[in-house]
Amino acid sequence: MQYSTPLPFAIFLMGPTASGKSQIALDIADNFPVEIISVDSAQVYRHLDIGTAKPEPATLIRVPHHLINLIDPDQHYSAAQFRSDALNIMHEITLRNKIPLLVGGTMLYYRALQDGLSILPSADKNLRLMLENMAKELGWPAMHQKLEELDQETAARIKPTDSQRIQRALEVCYLTQQPMSEILKIPRQTNFPYRKISIALIPSNRSQLHLRIAERFEAMLSHGLIDEVQSIRKRFSLSLESPSMRCVGYRQTCLYLDNKINSTELHDMGVAATRQLAKRQLTWLRSMKTDEVKEFDCLTSDLTAQVQHFLHAAIEKCTF
């Protein structure tokens, strides 16, 4: 495909969990010369298959997918790494005269890709271990109070129980000797050399999305989520604070395997956590410029036809 515009196309397919992004992406791949790039902070982990709704092996063979199965569950992957990896792969895809189709619900990754990242220090393993040990002794609410003393603005945006974000904010404060909120105000240098077509799948009825979420989590349990987590924990040294085990569904399953909750609580907590994730994703989507994002009702029966009609028109308009 030849482009008259100086910039190649890139398609963003966004939406909350259970909105049907994966199937729509495959439908798009049947009609457009695309390769799929996963924008999912959980699918980067090897062995986390059922709980992340990772595509089946046959699907990965039929349609090229990228940024899936990158690291082991005991490793870390950052938004900065995603931006670098995604830009490299997007360049390779365009050299093959195809269109990068970015699909997923990790909205921070989309923002990092488009807008760049503030200059924050890399993770410090020793400092993180120190903070984790402090938290074991004092509790995360107390660590949140320490953050409030150092960076009141950031602390106001973080819940006292959000261990991951508290730890990162404290880490930045200690490493840079300044509040993370001040660093984030520094203008970012960005370069996103693509003509973006953004699609958002938004439910017209939130309760219907909640039903989908419940059905999806129940299917994960029936397909062996508990056995999957048990197997992963046998192979790798992990805790509830490991990034991979913080993923929705995995954290709750760990609690079940540690006999801290029963099977009913596992179900209810897993569904509730997934609903909270969807709520956060929708909040991100609402904050984006509406004139740059084409919204579709993910619950409509002719969603595939609507999306494909829009893409044909958008690409034709920009090409000729």
Side-chain angles (χ1 to χ4, degrees):
M1 180 179 289
Q2 299 296 320
Y3 302 100
S4 58
T5 175
L7 297 179
F9 291 112
I11 303 170
F12 284 14
L13 179 57
M14 305 172 288
T17 185
S19 59
K21 298 183 295 296
S22 297
Q23 184 57 54
I24 293 299
L26 294 176
D27 293 338
I28 291 172
D30 288 336
N31 291 275
F32 295 87
V34 301
E35 292 186 26
I36 295 172
I37 299 175
S38 171
V39 189
D40 190 310
S41 60
Q43 290 189 355
V44 300
Y45 293 107
R46 302 185 192 99
H47 313 296
L48 274 68
D49 300 329
I50 297 172
T52 64
K54 201 173 288 178
E56 296 290 333
T59 299
L60 296 177
I61 294 172
R62 181 167 69 89
V63 179
H65 283 67
H66 305 275
L67 300 190
I68 291 177
N69 296 328
L70 299 181
I71 59 174
D72 285 335
D74 58 351
Q75 297 176 305
H76 295 259
Y77 192 77
S78 67
Q81 286 175 284
F82 169 82
R83 186 174 198 271
S84 176
D85 290 344
L87 286 173
N88 287 335
I89 291 169
M90 291 172 75
H91 178 65
E92 294 172 3
I93 291 172
T94 57
L95 289 178
R96 291 192 284 269
N97 290 321
K98 292 191 175 183
I99 302 172
L101 171 58
L102 293 102
V103 184
T106 302
M107 305 309 298
L108 175 62
Y109 283 7
Y110 283 113
R111 188 176 75 175
L113 182 60
Q114 297 175 83
D115 304 332
L117 290 162
S118 299
I119 305 174
L120 294 174
S122 300
D124 185 289
K125 186 176 181 179
N126 292 329
L127 179 55
R128 288 197 167 187
L129 181 60
M130 182 196 78
L131 292 171
E132 288 176 5
N133 289 334
M134 290 175 62
K136 288 178 181 178
E137 181 179 347
L138 303 175
W140 285 108
M143 299 296 283
H144 184 271
Q145 291 178 359
K146 287 183 179 293
L147 175 61
E148 194 170 17
E149 295 170 4
L150 297 170
D151 187 352
Q152 189 172 14
E153 185 176 337
T154 298
R157 297 196 301 265
I158 301 176
K159 293 181 180 179
T161 55
D162 192 337
S163 59
Q164 186 174 8
R165 295 179 67 197
I166 294 170
Q167 183 187 59
R168 178 55 176 161
L170 283 170
E171 179 183 45
V172 171
C173 289
Y174 289 137
L175 289 174
T176 65
Q177 298 300 304
Q178 60 180 318
M180 186 169 76
S181 57
E182 293 302 314
I183 300 175
L184 293 174
K185 293 174 184 176
I186 299 173
R188 292 173 283 191
Q189 298 293 323
T190 63
N191 177 31
F192 185 68
Y194 292 89
R195 189 173 183 86
K196 183 180 52 162
I197 301 173
S198 296
I199 296 170
L201 306 184
I202 308 293
S204 56
N205 186 324
R206 192 74 65 89
S207 63
Q208 289 299 312
L209 181 68
H210 291 170
L211 285 175
R212 283 190 181 185
I213 286 171
E215 291 171 356
R216 175 172 154 143
F217 190 70
E218 288 159 8
M220 289 176 178
L221 289 172
S222 66
H223 291 156
L225 176 60
I226 294 172
D227 289 340
E228 177 176 273
V229 177
Q230 196 166 33
S231 175
I232 291 169
R233 298 209 309 177
K234 286 180 180 178
R235 294 185 60 182
F236 301 94
S237 178
L238 301 169
S239 71
L240 283 176
E241 301 308 320
S242 300
S244 61
M245 294 299 102
R246 288 173 178 164
C247 295
V248 169
Y250 287 88
R251 183 177 184 83
Q252 292 74 30
T253 305
C254 285
L255 291 172
Y256 170 77
L257 290 171
D258 291 338
N259 296 315
K260 294 181 179 179
I261 59 175
N262 58 38
S263 58
T264 300
E265 291 170 320
L266 166 59
H267 171 275
D268 294 346
M269 290 173 66
V271 171
T274 310
R275 287 172 60 168
Q276 284 297 314
L277 171 61
K279 182 179 179 180
R280 292 194 299 272
Q281 291 167 324
L282 288 168
T283 298
W284 271 88
L285 287 167
R286 283 197 297 269
S287 71
M288 301 177 77
K289 295 180 180 178
T290 55
D291 58 336
E292 295 181 358
V293 181
K294 176 64 175 177
E295 294 186 1
F296 293 91
D297 179 9
C298 66
L299 303 175
T300 188
S301 60
D302 62 342
L303 177 59
T304 295
Q306 288 187 32
V307 170
Q308 294 194 10
H309 180 270
F310 166 74
L311 282 176
H312 277 297
I315 293 174
E316 184 175 347
K317 177 182 177 181
C318 295
T319 304
F320 298 103

